[in-house]
Amino acid sequence: MHELSLLENVREILQDHAGSQNFTQVKKITLEIGELSCVEPEALRFAFDVVMKDSLAAQAKLILTKQKGLGICQRCQQSTPLKNLYDSCIFCEHPFITVIQGHEMKIKDLIVI
Ligand SMILES: [Zn+2]
């Protein structure tokens, strides 16, 4: 389950920010999940409780939002929506697309005290 290691990274980022920006508790965190990132929202919620236990985000409310996959076709240069990582271009059916959005999980918003 790679959700655990993703959230361990998030916890480290939060701890770094807490030190540099002087907060002690995260009240609410919004994570943006890319459609191509293979992150399961259910698994993520479960892992969140496990990973954030006893951390500054132990009481945090978790909000999950989705980001659509998007790529640039390497032949016709149009931006094409991607449902899967290996989709072809919807305009010219070229198989090589440079993914520009939706392949990762990001911290989108953070409310701290
Ligand atoms: Zn194309």
Side-chain angles (χ1 to χ4, degrees), residues 93-113:
E93 293 184 355
H94 191 65
F96 297 115
I97 309 291
T98 305
V99 178
I100 56 169
Q101 178 185 295
H103 56 297
E104 56 188 4
M105 187 188 84
K106 286 187 287 200
I107 299 174
K108 198 179 180 200
D109 193 30
L110 203 56
I111 296 177
V112 299
I113 48 176

Side-chain angles (χ1 to χ4, degrees), residues 71-80 89 91-92 94 96 98:
I72 300 284
C73 173
Q74 292 182 15
R75 182 158 74 190
C76 73
Q77 306 295 320
Q78 304 218 57
S79 62
T80 181
C89 174
F91 301 102
C92 72
H94 191 65
F96 297 115
T98 305

Side-chain angles (χ1 to χ4, degrees), residues 10-23:
V10 169
R11 189 180 59 197
E12 276 179 32
I13 292 167
L14 292 178
Q15 276 160 356
D16 286 351
H17 277 57
S20 61
Q21 291 171 31
N22 263 324
F23 63 84

Side-chain angles (χ1 to χ4, degrees), residues 1-84:
M1 189 159 96
H2 75 143
E3 284 81 3
L4 278 176
S5 56
L6 283 172
L7 286 169
E8 279 164 4
N9 285 341
V10 169
R11 189 180 59 197
E12 276 179 32
I13 292 167
L14 292 178
Q15 276 160 356
D16 286 351
H17 277 57
S20 61
Q21 291 171 31
N22 263 324
F23 63 84
T24 54
Q25 214 185 326
V26 177
K27 284 204 67 139
K28 189 169 135 186
I29 180 167
T30 305
L31 297 177
E32 188 174 70
I33 304 169
E35 255 183 358
L36 310 172
S37 69
C38 303
V39 172
E40 289 287 335
E42 280 309 307
L44 193 66
R45 285 190 180 279
F46 175 77
F48 187 83
D49 290 342
V50 175
V51 172
M52 299 305 171
K53 190 172 179 284
D54 300 326
S55 82
L56 72 172
Q59 309 294 325
K61 186 169 163 49
L62 176 64
I63 309 288
L64 302 178
T65 63
K66 283 204 169 178
Q67 187 184 48
K68 291 203 176 302
L70 193 68
I72 300 284
C73 173
Q74 292 182 15
R75 182 158 74 190
C76 73
Q77 306 295 320
Q78 304 218 57
S79 62
T80 181
L82 296 172
K83 283 256 178 278
N84 299 289

